[in-house]
Amino acid sequence: MTQQQYKAVLGEEPWKENGQLKSYVKEGDNNPAVYVSYIQAKQFARIMNLLDPSAKYRLPTEAEFEYAARAGTVTEYYWGDEIDPSYAYYWDNSKGVAEYARDVTTCPVAALDKKYPGYCANDFGLMHMLGNVWQWTADAYVNSYTNAPTDGNVAVAGDAGSGRVVRGGSWADGGRGLRSAYRNYGAPGALGSDVGFRLVRTPK
């Protein structure tokens, strides 16, 4: 979700404090909404369900996120087994250059981006499933997949204070953190310049 979308729905700018940008944020309509907690992401989804009764909105499950990130691949990343700075925003192409999440409609190499817009999307046409910002999922974090739901559309349940899984890696992470299988988690109220979210939309 972008800053423009977040402001339009909730009328808030959590990436600002007292009208000033928080650390490691660039303002822009198409830049990711960051400093958004799992709790706020869930609230956003609830409001979307009220605004658009023609569909259901929710956070993706961890399984859904990995499926969408892989886009049919079995390699470390959807473009292959080696990290490639032309496909994703991560620490190696952010450090000292642009230490913040970038425009979600762009790809890392300006010349390629201009000639082939969206070239860094995966085979499902999804941009930045890996890199740019970590993204909240609906799942409570568990150490292994033992006894996990066999239906990938169902999230792992947990109490209100359970850590929640984030996926995808971010501009502030090394290449290892962007692998399609890599898992991380944060407290439901955790905030950061490298954490955002996207929603699943299912027409009714």
Side-chain angles (χ1 to χ4, degrees):
M1 307 309 298
T2 65
Q3 292 176 19
Q4 182 182 49
Q5 290 166 333
Y6 198 92
K7 287 187 293 185
V9 173
L10 293 182
E12 299 173 354
E13 297 175 297
W15 51 90
K16 287 184 178 181
E17 187 170 9
N18 299 321
Q20 300 298 312
L21 287 174
K22 293 181 180 178
S23 300
Y24 304 108
V25 180
K26 183 177 182 181
E27 191 168 29
D29 285 348
N30 289 324
N31 284 31
V34 292
Y35 285 101
V36 177
S37 69
Y38 166 83
I39 295 168
Q40 290 169 310
K42 291 273 287 185
Q43 179 188 35
F44 186 97
R46 285 196 296 272
I47 298 301
M48 284 300 302
N49 283 316
L50 295 174
L51 293 174
D52 181 10
S54 71
K56 179 175 176 59
Y57 295 83
R58 61 177 175 80
L59 288 171
T61 68
E62 184 179 6
E64 287 171 332
F65 189 95
E66 184 169 336
Y67 177 83
R70 287 188 177 281
T73 64
V74 294
T75 48
E76 294 286 324
Y77 312 91
Y78 61 78
W79 56 80
D81 283 319
E82 301 295 330
I83 188 66
D84 187 331
S86 67
Y87 279 93
Y89 294 119
Y90 70 114
W91 189 234
D92 284 16
N93 58 17
S94 297
K95 183 181 180 182
V97 178
E99 296 181 12
Y100 46 75
R102 254 65 67 79
D103 185 320
V104 301
T105 68
T106 67
C107 297
V109 180
L112 285 174
D113 196 44
K114 184 176 180 180
K115 188 173 183 179
Y116 308 108
Y119 74 84
C120 63
N122 68 18
D123 286 348
F124 288 170
L126 298 171
M127 302 276 281
H128 309 298
M129 292 298 295
L130 305 179
N132 213 16
V133 292
W134 289 101
Q135 297 175 53
W136 291 109
T137 73
D139 290 66
Y141 180 80
V142 290
N143 289 326
S144 76
Y145 295 122
T146 304
N147 299 322
T150 55
D151 183 346
N153 303 117
V154 177
V156 172
D159 61 40
S162 297
R164 299 290 160 168
V165 176
V166 289
R167 282 296 202 117
S170 80
W171 65 265
D173 292 279
R176 184 173 180 274
L178 272 66
R179 293 180 301 115
S180 295
Y182 194 83
R183 311 172 68 227
N184 208 339
Y185 67 96
L191 305 170
S193 64
D194 59 347
V195 182
F197 70 105
R198 71 177 71 206
L199 299 180
V200 173
R201 180 184 186 275
T202 307
K204 291 182 179 178

